Amino acid sequence: MYVKIGDREFSFYRVDLDILKTGIQDIFSHFDKKTIRELLLQPRYKNIKDIFESNYKQFLDYPAGEVLFTLKKNKDPVYKLFLNNYGDLVYSQFVVKGNESLLNKSGLYMITVDEELVFAGVCANSFKLRFNQHIGNISPKCCYKDGTATHCHVNAKITESLPKGKVYFKICPMKNMDETKKVKNAIINRFEPIWNLRFGREELYS
């Protein structure tokens, strides 16, 4: 398929998803690289540092994932303060299949569900790396405030769409990242992909 922006046409090549596992929950609970005390030293958590150190002292030196999962099981919503807005959803693990020479390039990509454009994004590294190791394989750290909310958001939306729709990635190799971002923003402005709009303006123009 191709997309026409102004007087230029951009060709997109479809790649298929191979779903390895779905219905994955509580990924954040497996994060054991830092304790709660260590996590609270990071700038993204400064707003909750005093609250947690005052009211949850007993948890400070335990692995963050273990603590947050305990709080969740105890129905204490404070655990969500450590996670990004999409860090406690249901995810899938998947890889993409297609032309390897294209997948090893960088550029612009779109996601379609039943041929409706729902998301547009940019890969500064290879498509294969972004899809297989990041979007398609959500890590525990990804779920936290200083993780990658975009990957959580997109994976969760794909997971939600899988039972009832055909999901594809479509890639357009491009070398110039400044141009790639401009084309992405033009596509978003023109087609208003619903997943971009729900994620917010930070994602639209990043």
Side-chain angles (χ1 to χ4, degrees):
M1 67 170 289
Y2 69 89
V3 173
K4 189 171 184 178
I5 302 294
D7 59 353
R8 296 185 60 187
E9 291 184 355
F10 297 88
S11 296
F12 285 80
Y13 304 89
R14 193 182 86 179
V15 292
D16 297 328
L17 274 67
D18 183 7
I19 308 300
L20 304 178
K21 187 177 181 180
T22 192
I24 304 170
Q25 300 183 62
D26 300 320
I27 290 180
F28 68 87
S29 68
H30 300 292
F31 180 61
D32 59 2
K33 303 296 184 184
K34 291 182 179 178
T35 64
I36 289 291
R37 188 187 301 276
E38 291 170 329
L39 207 57
L40 289 171
L41 295 175
Q42 306 302 312
R44 296 297 296 272
Y45 304 96
K46 64 180 181 181
N47 292 335
I48 59 175
K49 187 174 185 292
D50 291 342
I51 297 173
F52 213 86
E53 288 182 342
S54 297
N55 301 324
Y56 298 87
K57 291 180 181 179
Q58 69 273 29
F59 293 124
L60 290 175
D61 294 310
Y62 287 90
E66 177 184 324
V67 171
L68 298 194
F69 189 54
T70 297
L71 293 173
K72 180 180 179 178
K73 288 191 296 183
N74 292 339
K75 302 187 185 304
D76 187 338
V78 75
Y79 82 94
K80 292 184 178 180
L81 298 178
F82 287 84
L83 305 177
N84 67 60
N85 290 338
Y86 310 94
D88 188 24
L89 300 176
V90 181
Y91 309 104
S92 296
Q93 183 180 6
F94 57 82
V95 294
V96 294
K97 292 183 176 180
N99 186 310
E100 286 291 321
S101 65
L102 293 177
L103 284 172
N104 285 321
K105 297 181 184 297
S106 59
L108 178 64
Y109 71 94
M110 302 190 302
I111 302 174
T112 62
V113 178
D114 293 331
E115 295 305 316
E116 176 189 358
L117 171 60
V118 295
F119 189 82
V122 168
C123 287
N125 296 309
S126 75
F127 294 113
K128 187 174 182 179
L129 177 67
R130 170 64 67 88
F131 300 156
N132 291 359
Q133 295 188 30
H134 298 295
I135 296 177
N137 187 27
I138 300 299
S139 69
K141 187 62 172 67
C142 192
C143 301
Y144 286 72
K145 280 190 177 295
D146 55 340
T148 312
T150 307
H151 296 163
C152 294
H153 168 62
V154 172
N155 185 297
K157 295 304 294 182
I158 288 173
T159 302
E160 182 183 308
S161 302
L162 284 174
K164 53 184 180 290
K166 293 183 178 180
V167 181
Y168 296 107
F169 283 85
K170 297 181 180 181
I171 60 176
C172 176
M174 298 178 68
K175 294 181 179 180
N176 186 303
M177 278 297 108
D178 288 336
E179 180 186 23
T180 303
K181 290 178 181 179
K182 289 179 181 178
V183 175
K184 183 198 81 166
N185 290 336
I187 288 174
I188 291 172
N189 286 332
R190 178 177 172 184
F191 296 101
E192 299 185 342
I194 190 65
W195 296 357
N196 288 93
L197 299 182
R198 286 180 179 172
F199 191 72
R201 295 184 66 84
E202 180 180 350
E203 170 61 19
L204 287 182
Y205 298 102
S206 63

